[in-house]
Coordinates of all heavy atoms in Angstrom, one line a residue:
M1 N 0.8 -1.2 0.0 CA 0.0 0.0 0.0 C 0.9 1.3 0.0 O 0.5 2.3 0.5 CB -0.9 0.0 1.2 CG -2.2 0.8 1.0 SD -3.3 0.8 2.4 CE -4.0 -0.8 2.3
G2 N 2.1 1.2 -0.6 CA 3.0 2.3 -0.6 C 2.6 3.4 -1.5 O 3.0 4.5 -1.4
A3 N 1.8 3.1 -2.5 CA 1.4 4.1 -3.5 C 0.3 5.0 -2.9 O -0.4 4.7 -2.0 CB 0.8 3.4 -4.7
Y4 N 0.2 6.2 -3.5 CA -0.8 7.2 -3.2 C -2.2 6.6 -3.4 O -2.5 6.1 -4.5 CB -0.6 8.5 -4.0 CG -1.6 9.5 -3.7 CD1 -1.5 10.3 -2.6 CD2 -2.6 9.8 -4.6 CE1 -2.4 11.3 -2.3 CE2 -3.6 10.8 -4.3 CZ -3.4 11.5 -3.2 OH -4.4 12.5 -3.0
L5 N -3.1 6.7 -2.5 CA -4.4 6.2 -2.6 C -5.4 7.3 -2.8 O -5.2 8.4 -2.2 CB -4.9 5.4 -1.4 CG -4.1 4.2 -1.0 CD1 -4.6 3.6 0.3 CD2 -4.1 3.1 -2.1
S6 N -6.4 7.1 -3.7 CA -7.4 8.1 -3.8 C -8.3 8.2 -2.6 O -8.2 7.3 -1.7 CB -8.4 7.7 -5.0 OG -9.1 6.6 -4.7
K7 N -9.1 9.2 -2.4 CA -9.9 9.3 -1.3 C -10.8 8.1 -1.1 O -11.0 7.6 0.0 CB -10.8 10.6 -1.4 CG -11.7 10.9 -0.2 CD -12.7 12.0 -0.4 CE -12.0 13.3 -0.5 NZ -13.0 14.4 -0.5
E8 N -11.4 7.6 -2.2 CA -12.3 6.5 -2.2 C -11.5 5.2 -1.7 O -12.0 4.4 -0.9 CB -12.9 6.2 -3.5 CG -13.9 7.3 -3.9 CD -13.3 8.6 -4.4 OE1 -12.1 8.6 -4.8 OE2 -13.9 9.7 -4.4
E9 N -10.3 5.0 -2.3 CA -9.5 3.8 -1.9 C -9.1 3.9 -0.4 O -9.2 2.9 0.3 CB -8.3 3.7 -2.8 CG -8.5 3.4 -4.2 CD -7.3 3.6 -5.1 OE1 -6.5 4.5 -4.8 OE2 -7.2 2.8 -6.0
L10 N -8.7 5.0 0.0 CA -8.3 5.2 1.4 C -9.5 5.0 2.4 O -9.4 4.3 3.4 CB -7.8 6.6 1.6 CG -7.0 6.9 2.9 CD1 -5.8 5.9 3.0 CD2 -6.4 8.3 2.8
D11 N -10.7 5.5 2.0 CA -11.9 5.3 2.8 C -12.2 3.8 2.8 O -12.5 3.3 3.9 CB -13.0 6.1 2.2 CG -14.3 6.0 3.0 OD1 -14.3 5.7 4.2 OD2 -15.4 6.1 2.4
Q12 N -12.1 3.2 1.7 CA -12.5 1.7 1.6 C -11.5 0.9 2.5 O -11.9 0.0 3.2 CB -12.4 1.3 0.2 CG -12.8 -0.2 0.0 CD -12.8 -0.5 -1.5 OE1 -12.2 0.1 -2.3 NE2 -13.6 -1.6 -1.8
A13 N -10.2 1.3 2.5 CA -9.2 0.6 3.3 C -9.4 0.8 4.8 O -9.2 -0.1 5.7 CB -7.8 1.0 2.9
C14 N -9.9 2.0 5.2 CA -10.0 2.4 6.6 C -11.4 2.1 7.2 O -11.5 2.0 8.4 CB -9.7 3.9 6.8 SG -8.0 4.3 6.4
W15 N -12.4 2.0 6.4 CA -13.8 1.8 6.9 C -14.0 0.6 7.8 O -14.6 0.8 8.8 CB -14.7 1.7 5.7 CG -16.2 1.7 6.1 CD1 -17.0 0.6 6.0 CD2 -17.0 2.7 6.6 NE1 -18.2 0.9 6.5 CE2 -18.2 2.2 6.9 CE3 -16.7 4.0 7.0 CZ2 -19.3 2.9 7.4 CZ3 -17.7 4.8 7.5 CH2 -19.0 4.2 7.7
P16 N -13.4 -0.6 7.5 CA -13.6 -1.7 8.4 C -13.0 -1.4 9.8 O -13.5 -1.8 10.8 CB -12.9 -2.9 7.7 CG -12.9 -2.5 6.3 CD -12.8 -1.0 6.3
V17 N -11.8 -0.8 9.8 CA -11.2 -0.4 11.1 C -12.1 0.6 11.8 O -12.3 0.4 13.0 CB -9.8 0.2 10.8 CG1 -9.2 0.6 12.2 CG2 -8.9 -0.7 10.1
Y18 N -12.6 1.6 11.1 CA -13.5 2.5 11.7 C -14.7 1.8 12.4 O -15.2 2.2 13.5 CB -14.0 3.6 10.7 CG -15.1 4.4 11.3 CD1 -14.9 5.4 12.2 CD2 -16.4 4.2 10.8 CE1 -15.9 6.1 12.8 CE2 -17.5 4.9 11.4 CZ -17.2 5.9 12.3 OH -18.3 6.6 12.8
Q19 N -15.3 0.9 11.6 CA -16.5 0.2 12.1 C -16.2 -0.5 13.5 O -17.0 -0.5 14.4 CB -17.0 -0.8 11.1 CG -17.6 -0.2 9.9 CD -18.9 0.5 10.2 OE1 -19.9 -0.1 10.8 NE2 -19.0 1.8 10.0
R20 N -15.0 -1.1 13.6 CA -14.6 -1.8 14.8 C -14.5 -0.8 15.9 O -14.9 -1.0 17.1 CB -13.3 -2.6 14.6 CG -13.5 -3.9 13.8 CD -12.3 -4.8 14.0 NE -11.0 -4.1 13.7 CZ -10.4 -4.1 12.6 NH1 -10.9 -4.6 11.5 NH2 -9.2 -3.5 12.5
L21 N -13.8 0.3 15.6 CA -13.6 1.4 16.6 C -14.9 2.0 17.1 O -15.0 2.3 18.2 CB -12.6 2.4 16.0 CG -11.2 2.0 15.8 CD1 -10.4 3.1 15.1 CD2 -10.5 1.6 17.1
L22 N -15.8 2.2 16.1 CA -17.1 2.8 16.5 C -17.8 1.9 17.5 O -18.3 2.4 18.5 CB -17.9 3.0 15.3 CG -19.3 3.7 15.5 CD1 -19.1 5.1 16.1 CD2 -20.1 3.8 14.2
A23 N -17.8 0.6 17.3 CA -18.4 -0.3 18.2 C -17.7 -0.3 19.5 O -18.4 -0.4 20.6 CB -18.4 -1.7 17.6
E24 N -16.4 -0.2 19.6 CA -15.6 -0.3 20.8 C -15.6 1.0 21.6 O -15.6 1.1 22.8 CB -14.2 -0.7 20.5 CG -14.0 -2.1 20.0 CD -12.5 -2.3 19.5 OE1 -11.6 -1.6 20.0 OE2 -12.3 -3.3 18.7
L25 N -15.5 2.1 20.8 CA -15.2 3.4 21.4 C -16.3 4.5 21.3 O -16.3 5.5 22.0 CB -13.9 4.0 20.8 CG -12.6 3.2 20.9 CD1 -11.5 3.9 20.1 CD2 -12.2 3.0 22.3
G26 N -17.2 4.2 20.4 CA -18.2 5.2 20.0 C -19.0 5.8 21.2 O -19.3 7.0 21.2
E27 N -19.4 4.9 22.1 CA -20.2 5.4 23.2 C -19.4 6.3 24.2 O -19.8 7.4 24.6 CB -20.8 4.3 24.0 CG -21.9 4.7 24.9 CD -22.6 3.4 25.5 OE1 -23.0 2.6 24.8 OE2 -22.7 3.4 26.8
R28 N -18.2 5.9 24.5 CA -17.4 6.6 25.4 C -16.7 7.9 24.8 O -16.5 8.9 25.5 CB -16.3 5.7 25.9 CG -15.4 6.4 27.0 CD -14.5 5.4 27.7 NE -13.7 4.7 26.8 CZ -12.8 3.8 27.2 NH1 -12.7 3.5 28.5 NH2 -12.0 3.2 26.3
Y29 N -16.5 7.8 23.5 CA -15.8 8.9 22.8 C -16.7 9.5 21.7 O -16.2 9.9 20.6 CB -14.5 8.5 22.2 CG -13.5 8.1 23.2 CD1 -13.2 6.7 23.5 CD2 -12.7 9.0 23.9 CE1 -12.3 6.4 24.5 CE2 -11.8 8.7 24.9 CZ -11.6 7.3 25.2 OH -10.7 7.0 26.1
A30 N -18.0 9.6 21.9 CA -18.9 10.2 21.0 C -18.4 11.5 20.5 O -18.1 12.4 21.3 CB -20.3 10.2 21.6
N31 N -18.5 11.7 19.2 CA -18.1 13.0 18.5 C -16.6 13.3 18.5 O -16.2 14.3 18.0 CB -18.9 14.2 19.1 CG -20.3 14.1 18.8 OD1 -20.7 13.7 17.6 ND2 -21.2 14.3 19.8
W32 N -15.8 12.4 19.0 CA -14.3 12.6 18.9 C -13.9 12.2 17.5 O -14.7 11.6 16.7 CB -13.6 11.7 19.9 CG -13.6 12.2 21.3 CD1 -14.7 12.8 21.9 CD2 -12.6 12.1 22.2 NE1 -14.3 13.1 23.2 CE2 -13.0 12.7 23.4 CE3 -11.3 11.7 22.2 CZ2 -12.2 12.8 24.6 CZ3 -10.5 11.8 23.3 CH2 -10.9 12.3 24.5
I33 N -12.7 12.6 17.1 CA -12.2 12.3 15.8 C -11.2 11.2 15.9 O -10.4 11.2 16.8 CB -11.6 13.6 15.1 CG1 -12.6 14.7 15.0 CG2 -10.9 13.2 13.8 CD1 -12.0 16.0 14.7
V34 N -11.2 10.3 14.9 CA -10.2 9.2 14.8 C -9.6 9.3 13.4 O -10.3 9.4 12.4 CB -10.8 7.8 15.1 CG1 -11.9 7.5 14.1 CG2 -9.7 6.8 15.2
F35 N -8.2 9.3 13.4 CA -7.5 9.2 12.2 C -6.9 7.8 12.1 O -6.3 7.3 13.1 CB -6.3 10.2 12.1 CG -6.7 11.6 11.9 CD1 -5.8 12.6 11.9 CD2 -8.0 12.0 11.7 CE1 -6.1 13.9 11.7 CE2 -8.4 13.3 11.5 CZ -7.5 14.3 11.5
I36 N -7.1 7.1 11.0 CA -6.6 5.8 10.8 C -5.5 5.7 9.7 O -5.7 6.3 8.6 CB -7.8 4.9 10.4 CG1 -8.9 4.9 11.5 CG2 -7.3 3.4 10.1 CD1 -10.2 4.3 11.1
E37 N -4.5 5.0 10.0 CA -3.4 4.7 9.1 C -3.7 3.3 8.5 O -3.7 2.3 9.3 CB -2.0 4.7 9.7 CG -0.9 4.8 8.8 CD -0.6 3.4 8.1 OE1 -0.5 2.4 8.8 OE2 -0.4 3.4 6.9
P38 N -4.1 3.2 7.2 CA -4.6 1.9 6.7 C -3.7 0.7 6.7 O -4.2 -0.4 6.9 CB -5.1 2.3 5.3 CG -4.3 3.4 4.9 CD -4.0 4.2 6.2
Q39 N -2.4 0.9 6.5 CA -1.5 -0.2 6.4 C -1.4 -0.9 7.7 O -1.4 -2.2 7.8 CB -0.2 0.2 5.8 CG 0.7 -1.0 5.5 CD 1.9 -0.5 4.7 OE1 2.1 0.7 4.4 NE2 2.8 -1.5 4.4
S40 N -1.1 -0.2 8.8 CA -0.9 -0.8 10.1 C -2.2 -0.9 10.8 O -2.3 -1.7 11.8 CB 0.0 0.2 10.9 OG -0.7 1.4 11.2
E41 N -3.3 -0.2 10.4 CA -4.6 -0.1 11.1 C -4.5 0.5 12.5 O -5.4 0.4 13.3 CB -5.2 -1.5 11.2 CG -5.6 -2.1 9.9 CD -6.4 -3.4 9.9 OE1 -6.7 -3.9 11.0 OE2 -6.8 -3.8 8.8
N42 N -3.4 1.2 12.7 CA -3.2 2.0 13.9 C -4.1 3.3 13.8 O -4.3 3.8 12.7 CB -1.8 2.4 14.2 CG -0.9 1.3 14.7 OD1 -1.5 0.3 15.3 ND2 0.3 1.4 14.5
Y43 N -4.6 3.8 14.9 CA -5.4 4.9 14.9 C -5.0 5.9 16.0 O -4.3 5.6 16.9 CB -6.9 4.5 15.1 CG -7.2 3.9 16.5 CD1 -7.6 4.7 17.6 CD2 -7.0 2.6 16.8 CE1 -7.9 4.2 18.8 CE2 -7.3 2.0 18.0 CZ -7.7 2.9 19.0 OH -8.0 2.3 20.3
F44 N -5.4 7.1 15.8 CA -5.1 8.3 16.6 C -6.4 9.0 17.0 O -7.2 9.3 16.1 CB -4.1 9.2 15.9 CG -2.9 8.5 15.6 CD1 -2.8 7.8 14.4 CD2 -1.8 8.6 16.4 CE1 -1.6 7.2 14.0 CE2 -0.6 7.9 16.1 CZ -0.5 7.2 14.9
L45 N -6.7 9.1 18.2 CA -8.0 9.6 18.7 C -7.8 10.9 19.5 O -6.9 11.1 20.2 CB -8.6 8.5 19.7 CG -9.9 8.7 20.3 CD1 -11.0 8.7 19.2 CD2 -10.2 7.6 21.3
G46 N -8.8 11.8 19.3 CA -8.7 13.1 20.0 C -9.9 14.0 19.6 O -10.8 13.6 18.8
Q47 N -9.9 15.2 20.1 CA -10.9 16.2 19.8 C -10.4 17.3 18.9 O -11.2 18.0 18.3 CB -11.5 16.7 21.1 CG -12.2 15.7 21.8 CD -12.8 16.2 23.1 OE1 -12.2 16.9 23.9 NE2 -14.1 15.9 23.4
D48 N -9.1 17.4 18.7 CA -8.5 18.5 17.9 C -7.8 17.9 16.7 O -6.8 17.2 16.9 CB -7.5 19.3 18.8 CG -6.9 20.4 18.1 OD1 -6.5 20.2 16.9 OD2 -6.7 21.5 18.6
D49 N -8.3 18.1 15.5 CA -7.8 17.4 14.4 C -6.3 17.8 14.1 O -5.6 17.0 13.6 CB -8.7 17.7 13.1 CG -8.9 19.1 12.8 OD1 -8.6 20.0 13.6 OD2 -9.3 19.4 11.7
V50 N -5.9 19.0 14.4 CA -4.5 19.4 14.2 C -3.6 18.6 15.1 O -2.6 18.1 14.7 CB -4.3 20.9 14.3 CG1 -2.9 21.3 14.3 CG2 -5.1 21.7 13.3
E51 N -4.0 18.5 16.4 CA -3.2 17.8 17.3 C -3.1 16.3 17.0 O -2.0 15.7 17.1 CB -3.8 18.0 18.7 CG -3.0 17.4 19.9 CD -3.3 16.0 20.2 OE1 -4.5 15.6 20.0 OE2 -2.5 15.2 20.6
I52 N -4.2 15.7 16.5 CA -4.3 14.3 16.2 C -3.3 14.1 15.0 O -2.6 13.2 14.9 CB -5.7 13.9 15.8 CG1 -6.6 14.1 17.0 CG2 -5.7 12.4 15.4 CD1 -8.1 14.0 16.6
L53 N -3.5 15.0 14.0 CA -2.6 14.8 12.8 C -1.1 15.0 13.1 O -0.3 14.2 12.6 CB -3.0 15.8 11.7 CG -2.3 15.7 10.4 CD1 -2.6 14.3 9.8 CD2 -2.8 16.7 9.4
N54 N -0.8 15.9 14.0 CA 0.6 16.0 14.4 C 1.1 14.7 15.1 O 2.2 14.3 14.8 CB 0.8 17.2 15.4 CG 0.7 18.5 14.7 OD1 0.9 18.6 13.5 ND2 0.4 19.5 15.4
R55 N 0.3 14.1 15.9 CA 0.7 12.8 16.5 C 0.9 11.7 15.5 O 1.8 10.9 15.5 CB -0.3 12.4 17.6 CG -0.2 13.1 18.9 CD -1.0 12.5 20.0 NE -2.4 12.8 19.8 CZ -3.4 11.9 19.8 NH1 -3.1 10.6 20.0 NH2 -4.6 12.2 19.6
A56 N -0.1 11.7 14.6 CA -0.1 10.7 13.5 C 1.1 10.8 12.6 O 1.8 9.9 12.3 CB -1.4 10.7 12.7
R57 N 1.4 12.1 12.2 CA 2.6 12.3 11.3 C 3.9 12.1 12.0 O 4.9 11.7 11.4 CB 2.5 13.8 10.8 CG 1.5 14.1 9.9 CD 1.9 13.9 8.5 NE 0.9 14.2 7.5 CZ 0.3 13.3 6.7 NH1 0.7 12.1 6.7 NH2 -0.6 13.7 5.9
K58 N 3.9 12.3 13.3 CA 5.2 12.0 14.1 C 5.5 10.5 14.0 O 6.6 10.1 13.9 CB 5.0 12.4 15.5 CG 6.3 12.3 16.3 CD 6.0 12.9 17.7 CE 6.8 14.2 17.9 NZ 6.7 14.7 19.2
R59 N 4.4 9.7 14.1 CA 4.6 8.2 14.1 C 4.8 7.7 12.7 O 5.5 6.8 12.4 CB 3.4 7.6 14.7 CG 3.3 6.1 14.7 CD 3.9 5.5 16.0 NE 4.1 4.1 16.0 CZ 3.2 3.2 16.5 NH1 2.1 3.7 17.1 NH2 3.4 1.9 16.4
Y60 N 4.0 8.2 11.7 CA 4.1 7.8 10.3 C 4.2 9.0 9.4 O 3.3 9.5 8.8 CB 2.8 7.1 10.0 CG 2.5 5.8 10.8 CD1 1.6 5.9 11.8 CD2 3.1 4.6 10.5 CE1 1.4 4.7 12.6 CE2 2.9 3.5 11.2 CZ 2.0 3.5 12.3 OH 1.8 2.4 13.0
P61 N 5.5 9.5 9.3 CA 5.7 10.8 8.6 C 5.2 10.8 7.1 O 4.9 11.9 6.6 CB 7.2 11.0 8.7 CG 7.8 9.9 9.5 CD 6.7 8.9 9.8
S62 N 5.3 9.7 6.4 CA 4.9 9.7 5.0 C 3.6 9.0 4.7 O 3.3 8.8 3.5 CB 6.1 9.1 4.2 OG 6.3 7.8 4.5
A63 N 2.9 8.6 5.7 CA 1.6 7.9 5.5 C 0.5 8.8 5.2 O 0.5 10.0 5.4 CB 1.3 7.0 6.7
Q64 N -0.6 8.1 4.6 CA -1.8 8.8 4.4 C -2.8 8.3 5.5 O -2.6 7.2 6.1 CB -2.5 8.4 3.1 CG -1.9 8.9 1.9 CD -2.6 8.5 0.6 OE1 -2.3 7.4 0.2 NE2 -3.5 9.3 0.1
F65 N -3.7 9.2 5.9 CA -4.6 8.9 7.0 C -6.0 9.2 6.5 O -6.2 10.1 5.6 CB -4.4 9.7 8.2 CG -3.0 9.6 8.8 CD1 -1.9 10.4 8.3 CD2 -2.7 8.5 9.6 CE1 -0.6 10.2 8.8 CE2 -1.4 8.4 10.1 CZ -0.4 9.2 9.7
F66 N -7.0 8.6 7.0 CA -8.4 8.9 6.8 C -9.0 9.2 8.1 O -8.8 8.4 9.1 CB -9.1 7.8 6.0 CG -10.3 8.4 5.3 CD1 -10.2 8.9 4.0 CD2 -11.6 8.4 5.8 CE1 -11.2 9.4 3.2 CE2 -12.6 9.0 5.1 CZ -12.5 9.4 3.8
G67 N -9.8 10.3 8.2 CA -10.4 10.6 9.5 C -11.9 10.5 9.5 O -12.5 10.7 8.4
Y68 N -12.4 10.0 10.6 CA -13.8 9.9 10.8 C -14.2 10.5 12.1 O -13.4 10.5 13.0 CB -14.2 8.4 10.8 CG -13.9 7.6 9.6 CD1 -12.7 6.9 9.5 CD2 -14.8 7.5 8.5 CE1 -12.4 6.2 8.4 CE2 -14.5 6.8 7.4 CZ -13.3 6.1 7.4 OH -13.0 5.3 6.3
R69 N -15.4 10.9 12.3 CA -16.0 11.3 13.5 C -16.7 10.2 14.1 O -17.4 9.5 13.4 CB -16.9 12.6 13.4 CG -17.2 13.2 14.7 CD -17.9 14.5 14.5 NE -17.0 15.5 14.0 CZ -16.1 16.2 14.7 NH1 -16.0 16.0 16.0 NH2 -15.3 17.1 14.2
L70 N -16.6 9.9 15.4 CA -17.2 8.8 16.0 C -18.7 9.1 16.4 O -19.0 9.4 17.5 CB -16.5 8.3 17.3 CG -15.1 7.7 17.1 CD1 -14.3 7.5 18.4 CD2 -15.2 6.4 16.4
N71 N -19.5 9.2 15.3 CA -20.9 9.4 15.5 C -21.6 9.0 14.2 O -21.0 8.4 13.3 CB -21.2 10.8 15.9 CG -20.9 11.8 14.8 OD1 -20.7 11.5 13.6 ND2 -20.7 13.1 15.2
E72 N -22.9 9.4 14.0 CA -23.6 9.0 12.9 C -23.2 9.7 11.6 O -23.3 9.2 10.5 CB -25.1 9.3 13.1 CG -25.6 8.6 14.3 CD -26.7 7.6 14.1 OE1 -27.3 7.6 13.0 OE2 -27.0 6.9 15.0
D73 N -22.6 10.9 11.7 CA -22.1 11.7 10.6 C -20.6 11.5 10.6 O -19.8 12.3 11.1 CB -22.4 13.2 10.8 CG -22.0 14.0 9.6 OD1 -21.9 13.4 8.5 OD2 -21.8 15.2 9.8
T74 N -20.2 10.3 10.0 CA -18.8 9.8 10.3 C -17.7 10.5 9.5 O -16.6 10.6 10.0 CB -18.7 8.3 9.8 OG1 -19.1 8.3 8.4 CG2 -19.7 7.5 10.6
F75 N -18.0 11.1 8.4 CA -16.9 11.5 7.5 C -16.1 12.7 8.0 O -16.7 13.7 8.4 CB -17.6 11.9 6.1 CG -16.7 12.2 5.0 CD1 -15.8 11.3 4.5 CD2 -16.6 13.5 4.6 CE1 -15.0 11.6 3.5 CE2 -15.7 13.8 3.5 CZ -14.9 12.9 3.0
V76 N -14.8 12.6 7.9 CA -14.0 13.8 8.1 C -13.2 14.0 6.8 O -13.6 14.9 6.1 CB -13.0 13.6 9.3 CG1 -12.0 14.8 9.4 CG2 -13.7 13.5 10.6
D77 N -12.2 13.2 6.5 CA -11.6 13.3 5.2 C -10.2 12.6 5.1 O -9.7 12.2 6.2 CB -11.4 14.8 4.7 CG -11.4 14.9 3.2 OD1 -11.3 13.9 2.5 OD2 -11.6 16.1 2.7
R78 N -9.7 12.6 4.0 CA -8.3 12.1 3.7 C -7.3 13.1 4.1 O -7.5 14.3 3.8 CB -8.1 11.7 2.3 CG -6.7 11.3 1.9 CD -6.6 11.1 0.5 NE -6.7 12.4 -0.2 CZ -6.9 12.6 -1.5 NH1 -7.1 11.6 -2.2 NH2 -6.9 13.8 -2.0
L79 N -6.3 12.7 4.8 CA -5.2 13.7 5.3 C -3.9 13.1 5.0 O -3.7 11.9 5.1 CB -5.4 14.0 6.8 CG -6.8 14.6 7.1 CD1 -7.0 14.5 8.6 CD2 -6.8 16.0 6.6

């Protein structure tokens, strides 16, 4: 998965991880943002998207991430 993924491909790769996280974390972290790195399936959780992205980039400097909000209106975006 080293190549650049389109928004749709990235969403498709991250969506199953998001579904698991929503079931596990959704009630306790409702409306928080989660960024997912699709290759490792590691995630970064928080309320401030800039802070989350900084943590994610520190761990995976050249990776792509897809962000979701832990609620019914899930979509954040590719980052």
Side-chain angles (χ1 to χ4, degrees):
M1 206 181 288
Y4 178 79
L5 299 176
S6 71
K7 185 189 292 188
E8 292 77 19
E9 291 168 326
L10 196 55
D11 182 29
Q12 186 176 21
C14 294
W15 183 252
V17 178
Y18 168 75
Q19 290 293 303
R20 287 195 310 269
L21 293 173
L22 184 60
E24 293 172 21
L25 305 173
E27 193 171 309
R28 185 167 55 180
Y29 295 101
N31 295 314
W32 283 40
I33 299 168
V34 61
F35 286 176
I36 300 168
E37 194 284 314
Q39 190 170 359
S40 67
E41 296 188 357
N42 284 336
Y43 65 92
F44 300 85
L45 182 66
Q47 294 180 314
D48 180 319
D49 58 344
V50 172
E51 186 270 330
I52 303 166
L53 186 57
N54 285 338
R55 282 190 286 131
R57 289 269 183 243
K58 187 177 249 186
R59 177 94 187 262
Y60 299 100
S62 60
Q64 287 180 278
F65 303 91
F66 204 88
Y68 302 92
R69 190 167 293 279
L70 291 171
N71 67 20
E72 306 241 344
D73 185 24
T74 61
F75 184 71
V76 175
D77 209 343
R78 173 186 69 197
L79 301 162

